[in-house]
Amino acid sequence: MLDFPRWKKIWLWSLIVVVSLASLPSLASLSGQHWPDSLPDPAVNLGLDLAGGSHILLEADASQIAAQRLETMEESVRTVLRQAEPAIRIGDVSTQNNRLSFMVESAADVDRAREAVLPLVNGTGLTREWSLSVVDETRFVLTPTQQGLADALDQAMDSAKDVIDRRINAIGTLEPTIIRQGDTRIVVQAPGQQDPEALKALIGQTAKLEFKLVDLNALPSDIQAGIAPPGSQIYPYADGSANAGQAVAVRRLGGIKGDNLVGAQQGFDPRDNSPVVNIQFDQQGAAKFARLTTQNVNKPFAIILDDKVLSAPNINEPIRGGTAQISGGFTVESANQLAIALRSGALPVDLKVIEERTVGPDLGADSIRRGLVALGVGTVLILLLMIVTYGRFGLYANAALILNVLMILGIMAVMNATLTLPGLAGFVLTIGAAVDANVLINERIREERRRGRKVLAAVETGYKEASRAIYDANITNVIAATLLFLFGQGPVKGFAVVLVIGVATSMFTAVTITRMWFAGWLRRTRPADLHI
Amino acid sequence: MKLLKLVPDNTNIHFLKWRMPFFVVSGLLIAASWALVIVNGLNLGVDFVGGQMIRVTFVGQNDAPVSEMRREIAGLGYGDPIIQRFGQPNEASIRMKLPEGSDRQPDLANTMAERITGALKAAHPGIRIDGVDSVSGKVSGELFQTGLMSLLFAMIAISIYIWVRFEWQFGVGALFALFHDVSLTLGMFAITGLEFDLNIVAAILTIIGYSLNDTIVVYDRIRENLKKYRKMPLPELLDLSVNETLARTVMTSLTLLIALIPLLFFGPASLFGMAAAITLGIFIGTYSSIYMAAPLLIWFGVKSDSFVPAADVPDKAERIARGEA
């Protein structure tokens, strides 16, 4: 029990030195000192509550993805049937109840229609994305499969994450963390972001740009009442645009989307110097745009951003160059944001902010200062109490305690863990618990001496008997901390991390290390009595 | 140098003589705590009910103009805010309920935060917005659920561990003691109206951990004495065990307290509730180990030969402690 062979001592000391060294960069960063660039710097990360920053939790609406897929499928079905030789006429198209159904007008065409539609249904992947059934001889019903929907949602979320990543990088935010959470959520954490509103405006904007033809047959009174003619849809004008408060009816199909862009910049309208966004289509987009504008000269088309109409200008002449100018009551800032958002691509699905936590950097710095003061005062008081109570053995416990703090910091730094405000409280508690181990041991040694055991036997029994309770108590603490880690959110997780690491290191420092020092002292001095 | 002894050697206090009265008191305290929780309710923070908490500092001023802020925010039409001092006198926290219909349209909550901070910045040029927590009803519901689950699972998992390491009576005794600690902590939050947020769940789990620390130390000694004094009546044996560990109990509680009290007085404002809960938890946890966890063993009828067969085989803990495993 009290034998420490040389190899074991060397091993323990090197562990102490290495892990303590690993804590130095973190200590420097916590106390605001400069750490030399030439040295390795595995410093512990500061959580948003200490460093300041924004935490934004976004959620996508899964039903929107389903609706979009239906719409795309409808367009594809219409296209393949129109392009069949001869064209297959269909009617009574409906996308109600999350499925697409239509009737083939002539029963003779049913087999040809099925052959044409089948490749769309099977999709490109291994799994079937849609199931096709024909009822009442001529009615086709296409229902998305669960797997197909789940895959589509998964892809949409992945690309939404990429889009957010590009947007945030475009405004030069430092080290943002963007991670998917669950099926429909994305967490964005940006340390030190000074203006969370701008960040939110940027990532919250779907930036779905569409060009659709205005339905000139719609009666103004119907639009007012929200009744769209068949095949059309009513969109409101955007706030701040010239016709804000009004609405316009546009043809549902046949428009083009703004996802074939190669560039978007904020600029100014040469006529009145109002802020605008200039966009450039890629080759494919330019061709589509040219076709749309050529076929519809002298008709108005609506420029729609995120389901709001920015403007509905008249097409005076075909636009073939692949560039366009979007105006609609922008400020320079909002035009700039839209340009960034368009350049980064549209979000495939609307994302809504369902949780936001922002901490100003001043408050964070204040929290660190106060937390460190409390930690310092508490530690000094404990050190004093231990020396007053256990003398030399209190000193051993104290040295172990300081090592313990350094080791926790060092391990956290190497693990790249995050220190949060509740994590600081975790340090305070770990210190208390580490001391408890030494209290248990020292009290037990006192007790054994009172019962008349010899010095060596008392120390040996003290460590042995106390270790059992220390072990059990620490295991239960690890159980509590693990559950805290599994169920806890954000900063609370940081608390659990400190507790778990602290339990492990305190077993090492408070039991093994103090025993090594104790044993060394006993061997050197061979005392007849213990002053404990 | 004379060393400090907080507890004299060889104390012989008959703790368990008073077990019935204290048991009744504990029962009443638990009942009172739950009654308070039900009648008063907990002052649940935005983490658990959703809504917004905005923290502001009036830089260079002595006091936060609470009544002015209340008027300005009420003027926005979102209802009356709850404004509390938070930390220093020139710091305040503003809490708002979620606006109508925000369960379907989470964006409404964010618009509200923007309008409030905008109005405050316009009216008070020296204001510093320190933090905005905006939690939608959906997220807060989940946080509440996971918080509750972590408490329940922790209590059950720990009790099972003790059952495995000791005997079933010890596991059940520990579970009762933990239930006592959690109930009284909740009671304190109901009576003081301190804000109950995610940090407090962490605090309660910590209390569970450390109350158990105490219980285990006492149980461990009981187990040891059960092997040693096989003829001793159980109440006497429990008293002996509690007395033998008393010095350690007092010393450890004291060290934890002196670590926590600076946190209470000098620590960051947002940790105050957490530090207060854990400080109280140290008292009730120590008490429950002696007056809940130990006497329950008498009622559950622990036999003095429960641990005899294993007596000669060093268990895993001992081997690890010796560095053999």
Side-chain angles (χ1 to χ4, degrees), chain A residues 297-379:
Chain A
V297 172
N298 284 328
K299 291 181 195 159
F301 75 143
I303 303 173
I304 305 166
L305 178 70
D306 296 342
D307 296 333
K308 300 260 169 66
V309 177
L310 292 173
S311 55
N314 215 44
I315 303 171
N316 296 326
E317 57 196 73
I319 305 171
R320 296 208 175 84
T323 61
Q325 184 184 70
I326 303 170
S327 58
F330 296 120
T331 61
V332 173
E333 198 191 0
S334 68
N336 214 347
Q337 267 175 3
L338 178 59
I340 292 176
L342 288 175
R343 274 205 301 275
S344 322
L347 286 173
V349 58
D350 290 347
L351 293 175
K352 284 183 171 152
V353 177
I354 55 170
E355 185 187 3
E356 184 208 340
R357 290 168 195 272
T358 308
V359 174
D362 297 318
L363 182 71
D366 197 45
S367 297
I368 295 184
R369 196 176 45 75
R370 288 205 216 169
L372 288 181
V373 168
L375 195 64
V377 173
T379 311

Side-chain angles (χ1 to χ4, degrees), chain B residues 63-312:
Chain B
D63 289 297
V66 171
S67 52
E68 278 177 49
M69 284 197 292
R70 184 164 290 141
R71 207 174 46 242
E72 285 149 17
I73 294 168
L76 295 174
Y78 287 114
D80 286 326
I82 301 171
I83 302 185
Q84 285 172 324
R85 215 194 91 179
F86 195 81
Q88 303 299 312
N90 67 340
E91 297 175 9
S93 86
I94 302 156
R95 263 198 297 160
M96 298 294 298
K97 281 209 185 77
L98 290 172
E100 287 283 314
S102 58
D103 48 334
R104 273 166 285 112
Q105 273 181 285
D107 283 359
L108 290 176
N110 291 290
T111 318
M112 179 170 83
E114 279 161 40
R115 288 192 56 197
I116 291 173
T117 51
L120 288 176
K121 276 185 200 158
H124 309 274
I127 199 170
R128 189 179 81 199
I129 309 287
D130 278 332
V132 178
D133 282 1
S134 183
V135 183
S136 71
K138 194 169 178 182
V139 172
S140 65
E142 290 168 10
L143 290 177
F144 190 79
Q145 218 174 11
T146 52
L148 205 65
M149 281 199 327
S150 60
L151 286 182
L152 278 178
F153 285 161
M155 283 168 65
I156 292 169
I158 286 169
S159 303
I160 291 175
Y161 178 78
I162 297 202
W163 172 25
V164 171
R165 289 280 298 160
F166 294 81
E167 285 288 315
W168 70 265
Q169 292 96 334
F170 292 73
V172 178
L175 189 63
F176 268 92
L178 292 182
F179 177 69
H180 165 267
D181 302 338
V182 173
S183 303
L184 262 57
T185 312
L186 290 179
M188 180 197 82
F189 276 91
I191 205 165
T192 57
L194 276 174
E195 192 175 313
F196 195 91
D197 56 18
L198 267 181
N199 283 352
I200 306 304
V201 174
I204 292 181
L205 275 164
T206 315
I207 293 171
I208 288 179
Y210 289 105
S211 162
L212 223 76
N213 224 346
D214 256 10
T215 305
I216 286 175
V217 168
V218 174
Y219 276 3
D220 185 69
R221 189 55 73 99
I222 292 171
R223 176 169 59 184
E224 195 184 324
N225 285 338
L226 278 173
K227 289 182 209 165
K228 223 190 274 179
Y229 310 106
R230 304 186 49 187
K231 296 272 157 56
M232 193 185 280
L234 199 53
E236 214 174 297
L237 187 134
L238 297 184
D239 259 340
L240 175 72
S241 308
V242 172
N243 273 295
E244 280 178 350
T245 51
L246 192 62
R248 173 264 156 199
T249 305
V250 172
M251 182 68 186
T252 294
S253 306
L254 194 69
T255 45
L256 270 172
L257 281 179
I258 62 176
L260 278 165
I261 285 171
L263 198 62
L264 212 50
F265 289 109
F266 312 122
S270 43
L271 285 185
F272 180 84
M274 191 178 185
I278 299 177
T279 307
L280 177 85
I282 288 171
F283 287 104
I284 53 184
T286 309
Y287 164 84
S288 73
S289 305
I290 297 175
Y291 279 109
M292 293 284 296
L296 279 169
L297 297 181
I298 301 177
W299 283 305
F300 292 146
V302 169
K303 300 284 182 307
S304 56
D305 56 357
S306 302
F307 298 102
V308 173
D312 297 323

Side-chain angles (χ1 to χ4, degrees), chain A residues 215-229 234 249:
Chain A
D215 186 349
L216 294 168
N217 299 326
L219 297 167
S221 57
D222 279 353
I223 296 177
Q224 207 82 54
I227 306 166
I234 292 177

Side-chain angles (χ1 to χ4, degrees), chain A residues 421-445:
Chain A
L421 194 54
L424 280 180
F427 263 95
V428 175
L429 281 161
T430 311
I431 290 173
V435 169
D436 181 47
N438 288 112
V439 171
L440 269 168
I441 293 165
N442 290 348
E443 288 295 337
R444 188 67 191 225
I445 296 174

Side-chain angles (χ1 to χ4, degrees), chain A residues 222-260:
Chain A
D222 279 353
I223 296 177
Q224 207 82 54
I227 306 166
S232 288
Q233 233 174 329
I234 292 177
Y235 285 102
Y237 273 97
D239 298 334
S241 65
N243 301 330
Q246 298 176 30
V248 63
V250 300
R251 308 288 309 171
R252 207 154 61 81
L253 303 175
I256 65 167
K257 286 185 178 145
D259 42 12
N260 300 81

Side-chain angles (χ1 to χ4, degrees), chain A residues 162-245:
Chain A
D162 292 343
V163 169
I164 291 176
D165 208 359
R166 285 197 294 272
R167 288 190 190 174
I168 290 184
N169 282 320
I171 58 169
T173 307
L174 277 167
E175 297 175 45
T177 314
I178 302 156
I179 39 175
R180 280 189 58 187
Q181 193 180 70
D183 289 337
T184 56
R185 292 180 180 177
I186 294 174
V187 181
V188 178
Q189 291 191 324
Q193 175 71 31
Q194 292 291 329
D195 185 2
E197 299 307 328
L199 182 67
K200 242 172 20 182
L202 183 64
I203 59 181
Q205 189 171 32
T206 307
K208 183 176 71 173
L209 186 65
E210 294 165 295
F211 301 90
K212 290 185 173 180
L213 289 169
V214 175
D215 186 349
L216 294 168
N217 299 326
L219 297 167
S221 57
D222 279 353
I223 296 177
Q224 207 82 54
I227 306 166
S232 288
Q233 233 174 329
I234 292 177
Y235 285 102
Y237 273 97
D239 298 334
S241 65
N243 301 330

